[in-house]
Amino acid sequence: MNVLCVIPARYASTRLPGKPLSMIAGKPMIQRVYERACLAKLPQEVVVATDNELVKNAVDSCGGKAVMTSPDHPSGTDRLAEVALMYPDVDVIVNVQGDEPMIPPEVIDRLAECFEEDSELKMATMKVLMDEEDYQNPAAVKVVTDQNGYALYFSRSLMPYPRNKPKDFKVYKHVGIYAYRRDFLLKYAALAPTPLERAESLEQLRALENGYKIKVLESDFQGIGVDTPEDLAAVNALFDKLGLK
């Protein structure tokens, strides 16, 4: 199975301009993410997909590979699909967010392994137990799954609602790392936005609304997404505390 890991890295960011080039312990964030992804065992190649020459130059300068993509893509999935067209021989594409500088390589491998185990699988993602402080936070996306681990729904609202809170009540947070079969990714990106997707502003609902199944693996990876200057300062402090270089 030929696995490609793609890291979309859009330069523009309202809350943190030039986000991919933000420095973390002396290295641009995009380099941090790229180096972590390269530690995964299953992908044959890792590539950064960007819309900015400065980001491409940063990746090139550290010996990585980056490709230029259109600046007009409305979503990361569209950018991913453009890269998929460049790699016709790839079977599975793992999408790693460009603002996750501590992404565990084993998370990438676990997602890729799903497709070796299930020849019918088209799309997979991850979930973690959610802290109660995030229950009412719309930025923390919730996911509920069936007993076989397939997504029933994703929402910014609390779900399930604890009307009769059982002892085993759990809320799961969606982790925004995805894997797709290449042929499905191209089909998925070409689908029109759907009503629930627009209502929640959650692109993965497009797959569910069109009747496709999404496998959701459980992990303990909470992630440290960098979206604001405060996030950047917190990640730098963590790198310093852990002595990471």
Side-chain angles (χ1 to χ4, degrees):
M1 185 175 70
N2 191 348
V3 179
L4 173 68
C5 180
V6 181
I7 307 169
R10 189 171 65 91
Y11 185 78
S13 173
T14 303
R15 292 179 290 177
L16 190 60
K19 182 166 73 169
L21 301 182
S22 298
M23 299 302 288
I24 297 177
K27 294 181 181 180
M29 178 163 60
I30 191 60
Q31 181 179 345
R32 291 287 182 189
V33 179
Y34 182 87
E35 289 175 348
R36 294 291 291 175
C38 285
L39 295 175
K41 298 176 181 178
L42 291 186
Q44 280 77 38
E45 188 171 352
V46 178
V47 61
V48 172
T50 186
D51 59 355
N52 187 279
E53 288 284 355
L54 293 175
V55 177
K56 184 178 187 303
N57 292 341
V59 176
D60 291 342
S61 67
C62 71
K65 180 171 182 178
V67 295
M68 293 298 298
T69 54
S70 170
D72 300 323
H73 288 309
S75 71
T77 301
D78 295 293
R79 195 174 310 283
L80 201 66
E82 182 181 348
V83 178
L85 290 172
M86 304 176 191
Y87 288 84
D89 296 330
V90 163
D91 299 305
V92 170
I93 295 176
V94 181
N95 177 11
V96 172
Q97 299 301 321
D99 58 3
E100 287 282 0
M102 299 189 75
I103 180 78
E106 57 269 22
V107 164
I108 298 171
D109 287 333
R110 282 190 63 201
L111 281 169
E113 285 170 355
C114 286
F115 295 84
E116 290 183 332
E117 298 165 358
D118 183 353
S119 61
E120 300 299 315
L121 185 63
K122 292 178 171 57
M123 180 175 176
T125 188
M126 284 200 157
K127 66 179 182 180
V128 297
L129 275 174
M130 180 175 280
D131 294 331
E132 192 166 348
E133 63 187 35
D134 277 332
Y135 281 9
Q136 306 302 329
N137 179 6
V141 177
K142 294 79 178 172
V143 59
V144 290
T145 59
D146 65 18
Q147 293 188 22
N148 294 312
Y150 290 94
L152 293 170
Y153 195 64
F154 298 85
S155 182
R156 297 185 184 278
S157 299
L158 176 61
M159 61 176 195
Y161 183 79
R163 182 172 182 178
N164 299 304
K165 189 173 180 179
K167 291 181 180 180
D168 59 351
F169 178 76
K170 295 178 181 178
V171 177
Y172 284 97
K173 177 181 178 181
H174 175 230
V175 179
I177 176 172
Y178 297 93
Y180 311 85
R181 286 203 190 278
R182 177 185 177 275
D183 57 351
F184 172 72
L185 171 62
L186 295 174
K187 181 186 297 184
Y188 170 54
L191 293 172
T194 49
L196 294 175
E197 172 191 357
R198 290 194 296 267
E200 296 262 16
S201 190
L202 294 175
E203 194 177 9
Q204 62 271 36
L205 290 174
R206 187 187 310 178
L208 296 185
E209 286 185 84
N210 280 280
Y212 296 107
K213 299 175 77 172
I214 303 174
K215 185 73 173 181
V216 185
L217 304 182
E218 185 171 353
S219 172
D220 58 4
F221 167 58
Q222 290 287 347
I224 306 176
V226 180
D227 291 312
T228 66
E230 293 76 17
D231 294 336
L232 183 62
V235 169
N236 269 291
L238 181 60
F239 267 71
D240 184 59
K241 179 180 178 180
L242 297 176
L244 300 175
K245 296 181 180 181

